[in-house]
Amino acid sequence: MGSGDAVPDSWRAVLEPVLETPAARRLGGFVRAEEAAGKIVYPPRGERLAALDLTPLDAVRVVILGQDPYHGAGQAHGLSFSVQDGVKVPPSLSNIYKELAADLGLARPDHGNLTKWARQGVLLLNSSLTVEDGKPASHAGKGWEAITDAVVAAVAAKDEPCVFMLWGNHARKKAMSVPGLGRGSRHLILTAPHPSPLSAHSGWFGSGHFGKANAFLASQGRGTIDWSL
């Protein structure tokens, strides 16, 4: 994972078993070897576990699953769908903002940094937590999935009801294989097509996930998320 990417205390107990497996050690060796070979890996060291740093396990109220980090310079900083301040808002995030406006009447932000959501208990988790510059999904299947599956399972095992926003087939398959997220779950499972321009018009727009999430959280005595940015 790289130096500066220590597992935060709140997640250590649930992740230590998987981090001690040979597969996890191979992942660490793979990433280090890629960097040693001169390849650029995003996000930079120290930011790869930002989702876990900013959203402790006991604080999680909503989970939004992405696939892998943005693969352009300066974009990825460890939160799914989010980009650093000063970086152009990517198309999928632009569509998220359009749905926020339609759903909750929120003004379009002038930036793409979703840290404010993460600090309120929105776990912005990608399936893979690193990627090579310019090569989407280049680190898929290298071992991250077991780690992020364990993160999703830990949230699913919480006593407090949470909201899982599953956008696109990849997120839906990843989450729905986890015990506690099937039929009869105490959690709210919201599914829709991915907000990518390729699929947003197939049911992402009009899904109303943000309002539905807040209504559910309020009904469970868990407050609401301020989705404005």
Side-chain angles (χ1 to χ4, degrees):
M1 290 182 285
S3 58
D5 290 295
V7 175
D9 289 344
S10 75
W11 293 98
R12 188 165 293 134
V14 298
L15 290 184
E16 274 185 342
V18 67
L19 292 174
E20 292 170 357
T21 63
R25 288 194 288 272
R26 285 195 296 272
L27 168 67
F30 165 76
V31 175
R32 287 190 295 272
E34 292 289 279
E35 292 175 317
K39 296 180 180 179
I40 299 172
V41 175
Y42 301 130
R45 292 187 182 197
E47 296 183 358
R48 291 166 188 173
L49 301 183
L52 306 185
D53 284 324
L54 289 168
T55 313
L57 176 56
D58 60 2
V60 176
R61 295 190 285 168
V62 178
V63 178
I64 298 178
L65 290 176
Q67 195 153 352
D68 67 339
Y70 294 118
H71 56 271
Q75 292 181 303
H77 64 123
L79 304 178
S80 63
F81 294 100
S82 181
V83 292
Q84 294 276 28
D85 288 318
V87 175
K88 182 181 178 181
V89 175
S92 291
L93 183 54
S94 180
N95 285 338
I96 289 172
Y97 287 170
K98 290 177 183 177
E99 178 61 18
L100 271 171
D103 187 7
L104 301 178
L106 297 178
R108 178 185 172 89
D110 60 2
H111 63 87
N113 192 325
L114 306 181
T115 297
K116 180 180 175 182
W117 292 1
R119 293 191 186 281
Q120 296 180 77
V122 181
L123 181 63
L124 296 164
L125 184 71
N126 280 315
S127 184
S128 297
L129 300 186
T130 54
V131 69
E132 183 183 343
D133 174 45
K135 295 186 177 181
S138 50
H139 290 189
K142 301 298 184 182
W144 280 120
E145 291 82 1
I147 295 170
T148 54
D149 283 354
V151 170
V152 175
V155 178
K158 282 164 59 80
D159 290 334
E160 305 92 346
C162 298
V163 180
F164 288 78
M165 295 184 175
L166 309 179
W167 302 337
N169 289 332
H170 180 86
R172 186 159 51 247
K173 289 176 182 176
K174 182 178 183 69
M176 298 309 275
S177 64
V178 171
L181 296 183
R183 189 182 303 274
S185 174
R186 64 182 170 280
H187 305 295
L188 177 63
I189 315 298
L190 298 173
T191 63
H194 195 277
S196 159
L198 296 174
S199 52
H201 289 281
S202 300
W204 158 254
F205 291 127
S207 60
H209 280 189
F210 304 100
K212 290 174 182 176
N214 273 353
F216 176 79
L217 291 172
S219 75
Q220 300 296 321
R222 303 207 68 199
T224 57
I225 305 297
D226 177 6
W227 295 105
S228 65
L229 292 165

